Amino acid sequence: MNAKLLTRLSVFAVAGVLVAGCASQQGTNTAVGTGVGAATGAGLGAIFGGGKGAAIGAGVGAAVGGVTGYNWQAIKSKISGASAGTGTQVTEQQDGSLKVNIPNSISFDTNSYAIKPSFTPVLNEVSQTLVQHPELIAQVVGHTDSTGQPAYNQTLSQNRAQSVSSYLAAHGVAAQRLSAEGLGQNQPIADNNTEAGRAQNRRVEIYLRATAQPGQVK
């Protein structure tokens, strides 16, 4: 094994250690995310492009890491405040996104994809957040319980996700920053054999993701 290959493997090993050390912490600090990204990028760059490749890889990795380390605290607090008492849950995810989980009890009537008035305060806050933060995009995902035919549930979940996406678009969010997907009954989070479980499975999730840090042009 020659010296150049040993050097490359050493850089990659260091990058791996840095990633492992930071991966357990949800990225709420841009510096942490940037460091992890830079380390990963440097390791890959060293393997495939030598010293110059390490420098380039570190730069690319830092940009990705910075997005992973997006600071959601203020946005999370605002959405949580607007949805207080509704059963909506706002949580940071391991992939760096912010998930807004809205229960069906406030969002849609049975077999309907018309947005209920009790849903609008949450959606208004999400739309305002997206308008104020052009570096963010939103993915809307609809879910149902297992009652009824799978094909019907799939269509209903898609229509509900699209209703939410259309609402956000009508409140100033550019359509290209939005996506809608229905997953029907395919991703339960609770037992469909109980009413309480089915109620949890009937939900809409909105994932907010950063494509850049605040103030950056993307």
Side-chain angles (χ1 to χ4, degrees):
M1 186 177 291
N2 60 39
K4 182 179 288 187
L5 182 56
L6 281 171
T7 300
R8 294 178 181 180
L9 290 176
S10 296
V11 173
F12 186 68
V14 171
V17 170
L18 290 173
V19 171
C22 297
S24 63
Q25 298 181 10
Q26 175 58 40
T28 56
N29 186 307
T30 300
V32 172
T34 301
V36 172
T40 305
L44 294 175
I47 286 177
F48 295 110
K52 183 178 180 181
I56 295 173
V60 174
V64 175
V67 176
T68 302
Y70 192 86
N71 190 341
W72 291 109
Q73 192 55 51
I75 292 173
K76 181 179 178 182
S77 296
K78 288 182 66 178
I79 296 176
S80 296
S83 60
T86 66
T88 297
Q89 298 175 326
V90 185
T91 55
E92 294 181 51
Q93 304 300 293
Q94 289 297 318
D95 66 357
S97 64
L98 187 73
K99 181 172 77 170
V100 185
N101 184 11
I102 306 104
N104 197 67
S105 58
I106 70 159
S107 54
F108 300 100
D109 288 325
T110 302
N111 296 324
S112 172
Y113 53 91
I115 291 172
K116 296 170 66 171
S118 54
F119 194 9
T120 58
V122 179
L123 292 182
N124 289 341
E125 189 60 54
V126 171
S127 64
Q128 289 175 19
T129 294
L130 288 166
V131 170
Q132 293 168 2
H133 296 270
E135 72 275 12
L136 302 181
I137 59 175
Q139 176 191 15
V140 185
V141 184
H143 300 270
T144 70
D145 61 28
S146 62
T147 304
Q149 294 298 315
Y152 177 84
N153 290 335
Q154 172 62 37
T155 300
L156 181 61
S157 67
Q158 179 65 45
N159 288 340
R160 287 175 170 175
Q162 189 58 56
S163 289
V164 172
S165 180
S166 297
Y167 186 98
L168 297 176
H171 286 73
V173 184
Q176 62 266 29
R177 297 171 60 198
L178 301 168
S179 65
E181 179 182 16
L183 295 180
Q185 62 193 54
N186 296 316
Q187 289 190 358
I189 57 174
D191 187 357
N192 271 311
N193 292 317
T194 68
E195 176 51 41
R198 291 191 294 273
Q200 291 184 60
N201 292 332
R202 297 188 297 269
R203 67 198 191 277
V204 170
E205 297 168 337
I206 304 174
Y207 292 89
L208 301 179
R209 293 185 170 87
T211 60
Q213 289 296 339
Q216 290 181 337
V217 177
K218 184 69 176 177

